[in-house]
Amino acid sequence: MLADNTPMTSVAGLRRVLMNGSLEFPPFPAERYRRDVHTATYKCRAKLNNGYAVLSKNIHIHAVLNVPWEVHVPDEYVMAGNAAVLRCLVSAHCVDRIATTDWFTEDDISVFHYLGPKYQRLDDGSLYISAVSSEDRYNAFRCRVRDRITGNMHFSQYFGRIIVTEPKGEVRPRLVLEPHSRRVQVGQDVRLPCAGHAWPVPSYRWFREHHDQLIPIKKSPIRDRSVLLGGGLLGINDVHREDAGRFVCYLNNSAGEEALHFTLIITEPISVRIKPEVTRTKVNSNITFDCKVTGHPIEIVYWLHNGKVVKPNERVRISEDGFRIYIKNSQKNDEGVYQCFASNMRDQAYGIAEYTIEQSDGRLRAVGNRSRRTPYARSAHNYDAADWNFTGTRESKPELVYWFSEQTLQPGPSVSLKCVAMGHPPPQFSWTLDGFPIPTNSRFVVGQHVTLQDDVVSHLNISRVTEQDGGEYACVASNTAGKASHAARVNVYGLPFIREMPKVTAVAGSDLIIKCPVAGYPIESITWERGKRNAY
């Protein structure tokens, strides 16, 4: 269906529904681009064997044209001692496709890998250079961006240079950056740049705005997680939801003062569950479903019954905040699947539960209750007799409702990998690196806690990541009913490195898979050799 629930039709050569229910968009030439087909929102509805229906989340399609990229680095004029910001500019139609930005010197040397902490990469990919000196006029830089859709690398055609100027008397601070907002997910690191041109070289002071008052960063709750990285660059590690708000940087010298404002917007992935997950009553009963939502921000909450929006009436009432639905004197037509959707402009998830009125045979079919997170979907879990243990409590295999994605980064910053699972009994997490236990190193810290919604959250935090920390990381959630796992690579730029592999024991006649514990990035090829046994 389309976003307005109207049935979707096939468009020859551009869009068609396959026999298995999948929706296919074939490759198309630029002249056949259609906005109503290639930049649209879709959703699907599945009918279950028992006649109930389930609606998917919104699926946003945005097709892009594979046209040449134009990348360039403008020269930057700066007075000695001040901070400079070099920008990597790309064509407007390619901005949203940038996955990573890297910087290199004229000798193709990685700036961040070899030139030291004076050079920092900003969150938008720009190059921040603190305390520019006359020696910097001899340096030239070019940037490289990676297309997140095709994976192709694009270099700037020309090198950008730092043009160092000599002041002629006092100069009042002049901002080289504009006030803007930064959207950051909980647990990530953020860098807020403050740069201005002035003489004498200005001092930088950072403040947190709280109830119309300015609190120095050193006296604010984030003081232990904040650090000045050189010049006016403020780094905040492991951002919390309460870090959201306005930050102010003051630049001051004997000629005057200037202020730069930043607004930090903190988001958290949405997860939804409905309690109870399965309800079975007699006819004319009163029932209640609670929508348990985590994440931030939550902008819209609504309910579906068998794929249709629930409309309140004399028997059905929805709480003012939307998180609870009441059904009075239940009837046969109240049976079915209930879904609670929660969303904001960038994220969407739903929980699912089933209501059944007792039949004479006493049988009950349950579709289970799971968080459906964008963009990963999960099939419903069907319970049977094996799901019940001897105490009468239903067991359920772990199911991941959130997991980390592949990352590519430079050495130096901290990395936090997160997995969230649900199940009964509550699952325990273990972590591996290329199939082997996590290194026993003080820089690797694993933590686990249980939320109010009974989700189990596990973090793997790596401080001061090095090129040798790269590899495929996996989280495994397990309980007495089974296990679930997820794996993705953390790529750290650097020379190839192979960690020592411990001895592996295998059973004759069984399959054996060993991953090469290789680090460094990019890796062009991997080959295997079988060593010869020593003769005695």
Side-chain angles (χ1 to χ4, degrees), residues 182-298:
R182 284 282 296 119
R183 184 179 296 269
V184 186
Q185 188 169 297
V186 168
Q188 292 183 341
D189 300 339
V190 64
R191 295 179 178 182
L192 303 180
C194 186
H197 294 169
W199 188 261
V201 175
S203 61
Y204 296 90
R205 295 174 296 147
W206 278 96
F207 297 85
R208 170 78 187 278
E209 191 174 284
H210 182 68
H211 298 309
D212 296 328
Q213 292 184 340
L214 294 180
I215 302 175
I217 291 295
K218 293 182 179 180
K219 297 182 179 180
S220 71
I222 67 170
R223 58 184 179 274
D224 295 332
R225 293 182 288 111
S226 62
V227 59
L228 285 175
L229 299 172
L233 184 60
L234 174 66
I236 305 175
N237 300 322
D238 185 25
V239 296
H240 299 171
R241 188 189 295 186
E242 55 270 23
D243 295 340
R246 282 165 58 95
F247 291 78
V248 184
C249 172
Y250 280 97
L251 299 82
N252 179 276
N253 69 1
S254 57
E257 184 178 72
E258 189 61 83
L260 183 62
H261 297 261
F262 289 90
T263 300
L264 198 57
I265 302 171
I266 308 299
T267 66
E268 188 172 7
I270 300 175
S271 180
V272 183
R273 296 176 67 182
I274 299 178
K275 292 187 175 182
E277 61 181 32
V278 176
T279 301
R280 179 185 182 184
T281 71
K282 297 182 182 297
V283 70
N284 292 325
S285 298
N286 297 334
I287 60 175
T288 301
F289 287 112
D290 287 307
C291 186
K292 305 293 185 180
V293 179
T294 60
H296 183 77
I298 305 298

